Amino acid sequence: MNTAPLKIVATAAMGIEAIVADEVKKLGYTDVTVENGKVSIYGTERDVARLNLWLRAADRIKIEVASFPATSFEELFERTKAIPWADFLPVNAEFPVSGKSVKSGLYSVPDCQAIVKKAIVESLRKTYRIDWFKEDGPLFKIEVALLKDVATLSIDTSGSGLHKRGYRYFHGKAPLKETMAAAMIYLTRWTPDRPFVDPFCGSGTLPIEAAMIGQNIAPGFNRDFVSENWPWIDKKVWDEVRTEAEDLANYDQPLDISGFDIDHRMVELSIANAKEIGLSELITFKQMQVKDFRTTKEYGVLVGNPPYGERLGTDEEVRRLYQDMGKTLLQYDTWSFYFLVSHPNFEKLFGRKASKKRKLYNGNIRTDYYQFFGPLPRKKGDI
């Protein structure tokens, strides 16, 4: 393995790159680069493991092997072949190549994939001095991405996307990704000493992610990563990173987290998912409509992904729901409210202009994250 620092890239959905960058900085990294759809640092194999285990809002972690201009297939082949691929790929590596091309002269993705594959084989032949590679060993998923005639070659270290935490085996028909849920919670600035409520909990993603954040539980502690099988990342590295995560978890942190849903099947599903990850005793799930919400608590944070036209329900049902939400919730003047919605008239229907609005993408649906800020809790000693 090459001892030079690795360029490690955390990919992110459009609009949440800054959130991922903040996560990376909170892990102690200072030299952080933010670009469209990705956040990058230079680091070691240990950093690959830490980022996979700890990042909540990122999609996956990749190693960027090289980036260079490529305006012809010959140039793509020769520049790829010149990379010392044996530094990354053992002789028995399985290395499929995927690809994408945007605004580039080399627009045929299948051709680019085939050329990169052939070039990697040629590079490996020189090192390993064999003509045939069985590819029956550990998996190294390689991507060639062309953007404006620049080719970037990377290797995925995560395997399944980072949103797959290992607790949600079943979900509703319009699930919110765990990574997006975590980003939504980060944007609320919620702290574990405040009540947290999701009145549209579905399969329980927002409450479960809040509980994990509240107790500082690493989101990747309950799953495996493809790079755990790579021979040049010592098993001891993964063991140490997981031990560190276990030591940093605060399982004694009390939490006040609730999830409600009008569908009793979703409530049962949420309970099952929370139980799967060992958090069922920390979260209260209940069948209830949002218009029936009542509380005597103060300074709570209510976060929801309510139904919207493209996702669920008719427009008339959605409009009536938003009006009910406003009538019910706005009486709680110490609470803060956050909703991921695509309806253009949400603020008018809800009955208040948002303190802040942020564009986010829920899958392929363009949405707005409406943020209604309440007052901060009074500190002890305040009059």
Side-chain angles (χ1 to χ4, degrees), residues 133-198:
F133 295 90
K134 293 182 179 180
E135 296 195 45
D136 56 359
L139 176 64
F140 293 78
K141 296 170 67 176
I142 296 168
E143 181 186 65
V144 51
L146 288 126
L147 175 63
K148 297 180 180 178
D149 294 323
V150 174
T152 300
L153 297 169
S154 61
I155 307 174
D156 172 40
T157 75
S158 300
S160 299
L162 294 183
H163 70 282
K164 294 191 175 181
R165 315 285 207 222
Y167 64 78
R168 195 171 71 171
Y169 290 102
F170 303 99
H171 52 71
K173 59 182 177 180
L176 181 70
K177 267 189 175 184
E178 293 86 338
T179 45
M180 179 59 73
M184 291 168 62
I185 296 166
Y186 278 136
L187 289 170
T188 70
R189 305 296 181 188
W190 171 74
T191 52
D193 58 335
R194 302 173 68 181
F196 181 97
V197 173
D198 175 8

Side-chain angles (χ1 to χ4, degrees), residues 128-361:
Y128 294 124
R129 301 185 183 280
I130 60 174
D131 292 326
W132 179 257
F133 295 90
K134 293 182 179 180
E135 296 195 45
D136 56 359
L139 176 64
F140 293 78
K141 296 170 67 176
I142 296 168
E143 181 186 65
V144 51
L146 288 126
L147 175 63
K148 297 180 180 178
D149 294 323
V150 174
T152 300
L153 297 169
S154 61
I155 307 174
D156 172 40
T157 75
S158 300
S160 299
L162 294 183
H163 70 282
K164 294 191 175 181
R165 315 285 207 222
Y167 64 78
R168 195 171 71 171
Y169 290 102
F170 303 99
H171 52 71
K173 59 182 177 180
L176 181 70
K177 267 189 175 184
E178 293 86 338
T179 45
M180 179 59 73
M184 291 168 62
I185 296 166
Y186 278 136
L187 289 170
T188 70
R189 305 296 181 188
W190 171 74
T191 52
D193 58 335
R194 302 173 68 181
F196 181 97
V197 173
D198 175 8
F200 311 99
C201 68
S203 55
T205 306
L206 276 164
I208 292 172
E209 289 295 317
M212 294 176 71
I213 291 171
Q215 292 199 334
N216 199 36
I217 298 171
F221 90 102
N222 199 40
R223 56 160 287 176
D224 298 323
F225 303 94
V226 70
S227 49
E228 290 186 67
N229 296 316
W230 295 359
W232 51 267
I233 301 184
D234 197 317
K235 297 289 185 185
K236 183 173 68 174
V237 170
W238 289 99
D239 291 341
E240 290 174 351
V241 169
R242 284 200 161 88
T243 299
E244 176 191 51
E246 184 69 20
D247 291 342
L248 290 173
N250 182 9
Y251 296 114
D252 295 326
Q253 172 65 53
L255 299 171
D256 182 355
I257 298 176
S258 302
F260 310 130
D261 203 282
I262 193 173
D263 189 339
H264 71 90
R265 294 168 300 180
M266 291 296 99
V267 174
E268 292 169 0
L269 186 56
S270 294
I271 293 171
N273 286 336
K275 186 175 181 180
E276 177 65 31
I277 201 169
L279 298 173
S280 57
E281 294 183 4
L282 296 174
I283 309 170
T284 300
F285 290 108
K286 181 180 178 181
Q287 182 183 8
M288 189 173 71
Q289 301 183 74
V290 66
K291 67 180 181 181
D292 293 329
F293 175 74
R294 300 290 185 274
T295 186
T296 57
K297 299 170 185 175
E298 293 187 307
Y299 303 106
V301 172
L302 187 145
V303 187
N305 178 216
Y308 34 88
E310 296 89 342
R311 197 168 67 94
L312 297 170
T314 66
D315 186 64
E316 183 55 38
E317 290 172 332
V318 167
R319 293 171 67 89
R320 188 161 56 247
L321 171 65
Y322 296 164
Q323 290 170 340
D324 288 342
M325 286 166 54
K327 291 175 184 176
T328 301
L329 300 176
L330 291 178
Q331 62 183 300
Y332 301 109
D333 54 10
T334 68
W335 280 62
S336 300
F337 307 105
Y338 301 82
F339 302 108
L340 188 67
V341 180
S342 71
H343 200 293
N345 294 321
F346 176 74
E347 289 167 300
K348 182 177 180 181
L349 294 166
F350 185 66
R352 181 185 292 178
K353 185 173 177 60
S355 309
K356 191 174 182 180
K357 188 169 68 170
R358 185 173 184 139
K359 182 172 70 174
L360 295 175
Y361 281 84

Side-chain angles (χ1 to χ4, degrees), residues 50-124:
R50 289 190 76 222
L51 294 177
N52 269 301
L53 204 69
W54 278 104
L55 292 189
R56 300 181 193 277
D59 287 335
R60 57 182 64 245
I61 306 300
K62 299 180 178 181
I63 293 172
E64 185 176 306
V65 177
S67 186
F68 50 81
T71 56
S72 68
F73 289 135
E74 182 180 3
E75 187 174 21
L76 177 63
F77 178 82
E78 292 298 335
R79 295 293 293 270
T80 301
K81 188 177 73 169
I83 296 167
W85 285 99
D87 285 352
F88 299 97
L89 308 181
V91 67
N92 63 340
E94 179 185 358
F95 54 103
V97 178
S98 63
K100 58 185 177 181
S101 179
V102 179
K103 297 180 180 178
S104 294
L106 302 182
Y107 56 84
S108 174
V109 172
D111 286 338
C112 292
Q113 291 173 210
I115 287 167
V116 167
K117 179 78 174 186
K118 183 179 179 181
I120 294 173
V121 169
E122 288 298 313
S123 174
L124 294 176

